[in-house]
Amino acid sequence: MFLIFLVPVLIILFLSFFTVKQQSSAIIERFGKFNSIRHSGLQLKIPVVDRISGVVNLRIQQLDVMIETKTKDNVFVKLKVSVQFKVIADRVYDAFYKLEYPHDQITSYVFDVVRAEVPKLILDDVFERKDNIAVAVKRELNEAMTTYGYDIINTLITDIDPDIQVKNAMNRINAADREKVAAEYEAEASRIRIVAKAKAEAESKRLQGQGIADQRREIAQGLVESVDVLNKVGINSQEASALIVVTQHYDTLQAVGADSRSNLILLPNSPTAASDMLTNMVTSFAASSKVSEMSHTAPIKPSKKANDNTLE
């Protein structure tokens, strides 16, 4: 008899106690009508009379919504919107009884806001202003879902995926822009190299000309000294000049012969060749000087017509 009495008592006790997990709330109904909300810990209910109608999760949840819409420049794009939300602790009743499927309700609002905001923007602006779209979604959701006991923590645009052809076109545009910039830099570098080379050549020629001038000055000084030395040993200036010309002539032949690829000009090589060359040069210089003097000293003769006018 005792066992028959003990078993029902144990069953009643077992059905009377229950536990609620952390960050959860249990909805207790009595004969199908809302009775109370029980929070985490060990709880007691009347068996048969009370029942656990449901458990509401109070932790932050995330809902990912994929949306396909069109931009202002007629580009179809897919957006992934992540909505982070939770049930307000003191509004568990509204969250449980007012909405049958809260995820579907949130998804509908996200679709509505995104398809109202994105068509106002071109594709580039969608990428740049995705945070503005997320703020608009959060604002709209907060206004709607607070009534049902839900708090929207945050909304994020986590992915923007245009059509594959559009992405390829954007990549080509980006590549073309980078190639253009690279070409501009290469052109600028080439210009700098050309300018630097021109400056170097100009400086080289200036220094080369200066060197040639110094060389000729030294040669002339050496010739003067050579003539003075030859005059002191009884050789007159004309003979000394002829000797110097012959010496330079043979020095030139030796320098030309030292290079196998040089061009050789053969000049008369008779015993009097140097003297004749010098005589011709002196004669040419004397004739040129005489012509110049005559052109400067010749009187201007009046024309015959001018004389006739004077007589008249």
Side-chain angles (χ1 to χ4, degrees):
M1 289 292 295
F2 178 74
L3 290 176
I4 296 174
F5 177 77
L6 181 61
V7 171
V9 171
L10 292 175
I11 294 174
I12 292 173
L13 289 175
F14 179 77
L15 296 176
S16 298
F17 291 95
F18 68 97
T19 58
V20 180
K21 292 183 178 180
Q22 186 68 30
Q23 290 296 313
S24 300
S25 293
I27 307 298
I28 302 300
E29 293 181 350
R30 181 169 294 173
F31 297 115
K33 182 180 179 180
F34 172 76
N35 177 260
S36 62
I37 298 174
R38 306 294 177 85
H39 300 290
S40 59
L42 181 63
Q43 301 292 338
L44 177 65
K45 65 181 179 67
I46 301 174
V48 182
V49 176
D50 296 338
R51 74 180 185 90
I52 301 174
S53 179
V55 178
V56 177
N57 186 2
L58 299 180
R59 288 177 291 184
I60 296 176
Q61 304 175 60
Q62 177 167 310
L63 175 64
D64 294 329
V65 183
M66 291 296 299
I67 307 168
E68 184 175 12
T69 185
K70 185 179 72 170
T71 62
K72 187 176 181 179
D73 49 350
N74 296 322
V75 176
F76 281 91
V77 60
K78 293 181 180 179
L79 284 81
K80 182 180 180 181
V81 182
S82 297
V83 181
Q84 297 173 349
F85 65 97
K86 69 175 183 176
V87 175
I88 302 173
D90 55 355
R91 306 207 42 192
V92 174
Y93 176 88
D94 295 333
F96 186 78
Y97 286 103
K98 288 188 176 182
L99 284 181
E100 180 73 20
Y101 302 106
H103 286 189
D104 293 345
Q105 188 81 5
I106 293 174
T107 301
S108 298
Y109 276 105
V110 172
F111 267 83
D112 183 65
V113 176
V114 170
R115 287 183 172 173
E117 293 292 330
V118 172
K120 299 177 183 177
L121 306 172
I122 62 174
L123 182 60
D124 292 339
D125 291 341
V126 172
F127 284 92
E128 295 176 3
R129 302 181 185 178
K130 67 182 185 68
D131 292 338
N132 296 342
I133 301 173
V135 170
V137 173
K138 180 181 178 182
R139 182 177 60 251
E140 187 73 18
L141 282 175
N142 263 330
E143 293 177 358
M145 299 305 294
T146 302
T147 307
Y148 305 112
Y150 286 88
D151 182 25
I152 306 302
I153 304 300
N154 203 358
T155 56
L156 303 171
I157 308 295
T158 57
D159 189 21
I160 300 175
D161 186 21
D163 184 80
I164 184 64
Q165 295 181 356
V166 176
K167 289 195 289 187
N168 291 337
M170 294 173 67
N171 290 334
R172 288 197 300 271
I173 292 173
N174 187 29
D177 289 339
R178 293 182 181 275
E179 289 177 359
K180 178 181 177 182
V181 173
E184 290 176 354
Y185 278 109
E186 289 178 359
E188 181 65 17
S190 178
R191 185 188 69 81
I192 293 174
R193 286 195 296 268
I194 292 173
V195 171
K197 183 178 179 181
K199 289 182 179 179
E201 290 180 355
E203 182 66 15
S204 175
K205 290 180 180 179
R206 185 185 69 80
L207 294 176
Q208 184 179 4
Q210 183 178 351
I212 293 174
D214 293 341
Q215 180 185 14
R216 290 176 177 174
R217 189 181 304 110
E218 293 298 325
I219 291 174
Q221 182 65 29
L223 291 176
V224 171
E225 293 176 356
S226 298
V227 171
D228 290 341
V229 171
L230 293 175
N231 287 337
K232 290 179 181 180
V233 297
I235 300 176
N236 59 34
S237 298
Q238 185 173 2
E239 292 174 346
S241 299
L243 178 61
I244 292 171
V245 169
V246 171
T247 302
Q248 290 182 342
H249 174 67
Y250 283 109
D251 289 343
T252 302
L253 291 177
Q254 183 179 0
V256 171
D259 191 351
S260 61
R261 293 181 298 175
S262 61
N263 295 324
L264 179 62
I265 300 176
L266 297 176
L267 297 176
N269 197 19
S270 63
T272 60
S275 178
D276 294 341
M277 184 186 303
L278 181 61
T279 302
N280 292 335
M281 291 173 63
V282 171
T283 303
S284 299
F285 288 147
S288 175
S289 299
K290 186 174 181 180
V291 170
S292 178
E293 291 177 358
M294 291 177 63
S295 63
H296 285 292
T297 58
I300 300 174
K301 296 181 180 181
S303 61
K304 181 178 180 181
K305 184 176 181 180
N307 293 335
D308 294 341
N309 292 335
T310 304
L311 293 176
E312 291 177 359

